[in-house]
């Protein structure tokens, strides 16, 4: 088998690049995780599934991957202009709970949903609140290097000062003038020198619950020295990923991922922070998944058009005509390339449900195929090319939708074999089984939910039959039909059942 080099699309260079880790076989990957103030929705599922595929495939290629995905539990304000309430605090006030109760509750809900979707847990899942000192150190370095300033107890990133030595906007393609023009629509500059500047550390207002007392050494431009400042506040939203990525993956790591909506301002600001603090960007490859839309509009909490994953799983939403299983959602998302748009509709999900079941049925049916002495030419062609076609698709920037189409072609072969319209030799049968399971289960992370349900149903039916037999034995004993009673006990023993008579009746178990 000839495996090609993995190519991934780098948002920074706007082209596909050969994946060459900085320190092979080790790979560092950081992915922006959720802000935990509400139930996870379909928009959360896409990046989680996208980078689960990246994680699975890199490990399959033999890399030792450290996958870091953060939990944002402080500092993410309602508006990217550093104004408004902290989203978690606002939810806490509404529900009269501690902010960390809110964060923990929705973190648990997020984990449960991602587990149901078949996403592997990351290697490390740091929380923003657990890394205040690292964020403080980052802010201090940026200020020491002349790219930040203090204003009324808060510290802001000075984009103009940064742009005199570096280039702000290299990821998003925006110029500083574009950013300034967009920011002029906002009312007033307030504490900032320029409205486009963003907060590194925000002084907490009296009603702000989540706050930390942190000291900074602040340059004094007029006096030419420094003064020590104690600020009670919280970090800006952009700081956490730069600080935690650096802590767990080093000053330079391989992949940073997230949704396309994070390219600006979040990831643009991350690059600026890293360069301002250490003189160079931390990330070699920037990867971004596209959005999920409803009628062409981005799905999100702020727009009020989102459907939670629990609503998908239960069908309890006015926009849904039925419930959709977690694997149907996963298959639906993987049926499009991660950089392509996905528009929600019940029809699309129903098609995904049918497609998934077709594939799972074929994999089950493969167990019943009897090999022949040799293959027919068409079966041999499909089977012998299947593995490489799937690898080619994965190596071309993770084209999961092409892998699925290849697996559908394999499913058609299975159906022909069952209908005795094709023949397959033992070696090709093993290859077909191995490739379908490798790519469908191990790499795409799909599983047969119906088979699990059927197994549970069989287990229940099995227990019911044994209980019924023991009930017949009990009736035989009551009628003093000892021969029948003993025969049932002995027959069950020969089948491996241990039957014990108690005062409450007979109980059984399999050793």
């Amino acid at each position: 088998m000839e495996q090609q080099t993995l190519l991934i699309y780098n948002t920074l260079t706007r082209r596909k690049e050969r994946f060459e880790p900085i320190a092979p076989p080790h790979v560092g990957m950081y992915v922006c995780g959720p802000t935990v103030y509400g139930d996870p929705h379909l928009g959360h599922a896409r990046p989680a599934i996208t980078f689960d595929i990246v994680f699975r495939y890199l490990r399959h290629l033999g890399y030792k991957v450290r996958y870091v995905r953060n939990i944002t539990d402080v500092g993410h304000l309602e508006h990217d202009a550093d104004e408004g309430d902290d989203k978690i605090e606002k939810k806490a006030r509404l529900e009269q709970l501690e902010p960390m109760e809110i964060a923990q509750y929705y973190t648990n809900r997020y984990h449960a949903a991602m587990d149901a979707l078949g996403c592997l847990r990351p290697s490390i899942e740091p929380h923003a609140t657990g890394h205040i000192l690292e964020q403080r150190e980052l802010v201090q370095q940026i200020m020491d290097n002349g790219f930040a300033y203090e204003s009324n107890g808060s510290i802001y990133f000075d984009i103009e000062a940064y742009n005199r030595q570096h280039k702000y906007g290299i990821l998003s393609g925006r110029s500083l003038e574009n950013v300034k023009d967009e920011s002029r629509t906002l009312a007033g500059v307030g504490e900032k020198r320029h409205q486009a500047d963003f907060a590194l550390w925000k002084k907490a207002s009296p009603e702000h619950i989540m706050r930390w007392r942190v000291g900074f050494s602040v340059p004094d431009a007029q006096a030419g020295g420094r003064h020590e400042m104690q600020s009670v506040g919280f970090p800006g939203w952009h700081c956490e990923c730069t600080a935690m990525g650096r802590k767990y993956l080093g000053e330079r790591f391989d992949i940073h991922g997230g949704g396309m909506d994070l390219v600006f301002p979040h990831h643009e600001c991350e690059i600026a922070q890293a360069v301002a603090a250490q003189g160079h960007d931390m990330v070699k490859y920037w990867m971004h998944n596209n959005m999920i839309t409803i009628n062409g509009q981005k799905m999100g909490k702020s727009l009020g058009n989102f459907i939670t994953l629990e609503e998908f799983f239960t069908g309890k939403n006015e926009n849904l005509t039925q419930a959709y299983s977690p694997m149907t959602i996963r298959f639906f998302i993987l049926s499009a390339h991660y950089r392509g748009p996905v528009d929600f509709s019940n029809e699309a999900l129903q098609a995904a449900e049918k497609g998934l079941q077709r594939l799972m049925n074929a994999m089950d049916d493969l167990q019943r195929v009897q090999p022949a002495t040799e293959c027919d030419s068409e079966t041999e062609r499909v089977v012998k090319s299947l593995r490489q076609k799937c690898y080619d698709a994965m190596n071309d920037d993770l084209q999961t939708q092409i892998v699925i189409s290849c697996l559908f072609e394999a499913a058609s072969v299975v159906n022909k074999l069952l209908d005795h319209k094709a023949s397959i030799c033992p070696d090709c049968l093993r290859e077909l089984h191995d490739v379908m399971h490798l790519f469908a289960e191990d790499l795409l992370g799909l599983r047969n939910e119906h088979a699990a349900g059927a197994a549970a149903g069989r287990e229940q039916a099995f227990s019911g039959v044994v209980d019924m037999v023991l009930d017949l034995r009990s009736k035989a004993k009551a009628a003093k039909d000892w021969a029948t009673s003993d025969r049932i006990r002995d027959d069950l023993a020969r089948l491996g059942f241990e039957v014990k008579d108690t005062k409450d009746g007979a109980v059984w178990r399999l050793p």
Side-chain angles (χ1 to χ4, degrees):
M1 182 197 65
E2 178 190 350
Q3 265 194 56
Q4 296 175 348
T5 301
L6 172 62
L7 300 176
I8 59 175
Y9 184 85
N10 190 346
T11 309
L12 186 63
T13 60
R14 293 167 180 75
R15 60 183 172 85
K16 292 179 187 177
E17 296 181 0
R18 178 173 177 163
F19 180 67
E20 296 178 329
I22 296 166
H26 299 280
V27 172
M29 180 171 74
Y30 188 100
V31 176
C32 289
T35 302
V36 283
Y37 69 101
D39 272 336
H41 55 72
L42 194 59
H44 291 115
R46 194 167 196 195
I49 291 171
T50 294
F51 292 100
D52 181 60
I53 297 296
V54 178
F55 186 34
R56 287 170 181 266
Y57 193 56
L58 288 175
R59 294 204 308 181
H60 171 69
L61 294 179
Y63 294 114
K64 297 179 179 179
V65 185
R66 177 176 288 176
Y67 172 17
V68 181
R69 185 181 67 203
N70 67 295
I71 296 291
T72 297
D73 54 0
V74 68
H76 194 162
L77 303 183
E78 289 181 303
H79 307 292
D80 290 333
D82 302 317
E83 302 299 332
D85 291 335
D86 183 297
K87 294 178 178 180
I88 295 172
E89 277 203 17
K90 183 176 181 180
K91 187 87 170 181
R93 284 196 296 271
L94 288 172
E95 299 189 15
Q96 296 184 316
L97 296 170
E98 283 289 329
M100 294 313 292
E101 284 184 272
I102 295 292
Q104 187 64 57
Y105 175 78
Y106 287 113
T107 298
N108 294 344
R109 301 275 286 178
Y110 176 79
H111 285 155
M114 297 307 114
D115 290 346
L117 290 170
C119 295
L120 303 175
R121 293 285 181 98
S123 314
I124 303 173
E125 194 173 55
H127 291 230
T129 54
H131 297 79
I132 300 298
L133 293 180
E134 288 83 359
Q135 294 175 77
R136 180 258 165 214
E137 181 182 3
L138 173 71
V139 175
Q140 185 67 63
Q141 287 176 336
I142 294 171
M143 193 156 47
D144 288 347
N145 291 338
F147 300 115
Y149 59 89
E150 180 269 334
S151 177
N152 195 30
S154 295
I155 298 173
Y156 293 96
F157 191 93
D158 191 335
I159 290 182
E160 281 206 337
Y162 176 82
N163 214 49
R164 285 194 287 270
Q165 297 183 41
H166 307 286
K167 180 171 171 48
Y168 183 81
I170 60 172
L171 186 66
S172 64
R174 304 187 187 204
S175 69
L176 183 56
E177 291 306 313
N178 293 150
V179 176
K180 285 181 179 179
D181 288 343
E182 289 174 11
S183 67
R184 285 191 184 107
T185 61
L186 300 168
V189 171
E191 299 175 343
K192 307 177 185 180
R193 292 177 182 171
H194 305 284
Q195 189 64 49
D197 294 347
F198 58 89
L200 297 173
W201 182 265
K202 284 283 286 183
K203 179 182 177 182
S205 58
E207 67 274 10
H208 204 94
I209 306 170
M210 299 178 79
R211 52 172 66 198
W212 290 264
R213 180 178 293 277
V214 172
F216 292 100
S217 178
V218 180
D220 190 331
Q222 292 182 344
R226 288 177 173 271
H227 68 271
E228 299 302 313
M229 179 189 80
Q230 292 290 316
S231 176
V232 177
F234 54 94
W237 167 38
H238 309 303
C239 286
E240 61 180 283
C241 292
T242 306
M244 293 190 293
R246 185 167 67 171
K247 177 179 177 65
Y248 295 110
L249 299 175
E251 289 193 356
R252 183 81 173 149
F253 59 87
D254 300 292
I255 296 172
H256 194 317
M260 281 186 178
D261 58 331
L262 297 178
V263 171
F264 186 88
H266 185 49
H267 289 165
E268 196 72 78
C269 293
E270 278 198 62
I271 290 176
Q273 289 173 160
V275 174
Q278 60 192 33
H280 58 83
D281 185 14
M282 292 195 301
V283 180
K284 187 173 182 180
Y285 305 96
W286 286 89
M287 296 181 70
H288 294 91
N289 63 274
N290 211 324
M291 299 295 99
I292 291 182
T293 58
I294 296 182
N295 299 321
Q297 187 181 35
K298 176 195 164 187
M299 178 183 289
K301 287 191 181 77
S302 59
L303 298 172
N305 67 347
F306 66 97
I307 303 173
T308 70
L309 289 171
E310 183 178 359
E311 288 170 339
F312 274 106
F313 302 159
T314 61
K316 294 178 180 177
N317 184 289
E318 62 182 11
N319 294 309
L320 300 175
T321 58
Q322 65 177 78
Y324 298 99
S325 72
M327 282 298 107
T328 297
I329 300 298
R330 186 178 181 98
F331 189 84
F332 168 66
I333 289 173
L334 293 178
S335 295
H337 187 236
Y338 77 91
R339 289 193 289 113
V342 173
D343 197 53
F344 158 81
S345 70
N346 281 284
E347 292 75 17
L349 279 169
Q350 288 161 8
E353 185 176 59
K354 291 176 183 176
L356 173 65
Q357 198 52 50
R358 175 188 166 198
L359 180 57
M360 293 295 104
N361 287 343
M363 292 176 65
D364 284 346
D365 291 341
L366 193 56
Q367 313 300 322
R368 301 192 286 117
V369 171
Q370 294 298 315
T373 55
E374 60 182 25
C375 297
D376 65 84
S377 59
E378 178 62 15
T379 297
E380 185 175 29
R381 180 193 68 79
V382 172
V383 173
K384 288 191 173 180
S385 64
L386 180 62
R387 186 184 294 266
Q388 191 59 49
K389 285 168 69 175
C390 289
Y391 272 124
D392 289 345
M394 290 297 286
N395 287 330
D396 184 19
D397 195 31
L398 307 164
Q399 301 273 356
T400 55
Q401 80 285 5
I402 296 178
V403 174
I404 288 172
S405 70
C406 293
L407 293 173
F408 277 154
E409 186 178 16
S412 296
V413 169
V414 174
N415 292 333
K416 289 178 182 177
L417 291 168
L418 286 176
D419 292 339
H420 304 290
K421 295 178 179 178
S423 59
I424 190 168
C425 68
D427 287 346
C428 283
L429 181 58
R430 280 192 296 273
E431 173 70 359
L432 184 58
H433 175 277
D434 291 349
V435 174
M436 290 188 75
H437 282 270
L438 169 63
F439 283 93
E441 295 180 340
D442 298 347
L443 298 182
L444 296 189
L446 300 169
R447 62 176 184 268
N448 194 338
E449 295 163 311
H450 291 284
R458 286 193 295 271
E459 182 71 21
Q460 186 176 6
F462 175 80
S463 298
V465 169
V466 177
D467 290 339
M468 181 179 68
V469 170
L470 289 177
D471 184 57
L472 292 174
R473 177 173 177 263
S474 177
K475 289 177 179 177
K477 288 178 68 176
K480 300 189 185 316
D481 184 356
W482 309 117
T484 299
S485 171
D486 291 345
R487 187 173 69 252
I488 291 174
R489 181 199 61 204
D490 295 342
D491 286 348
L492 287 172
R494 276 195 297 274
L495 293 171
F497 293 89
E498 290 184 6
V499 178
K500 184 177 182 181
D501 292 309
T502 71
K503 63 179 181 179
D504 297 318
V507 294
W508 62 273
R509 72 182 182 92
L510 283 171

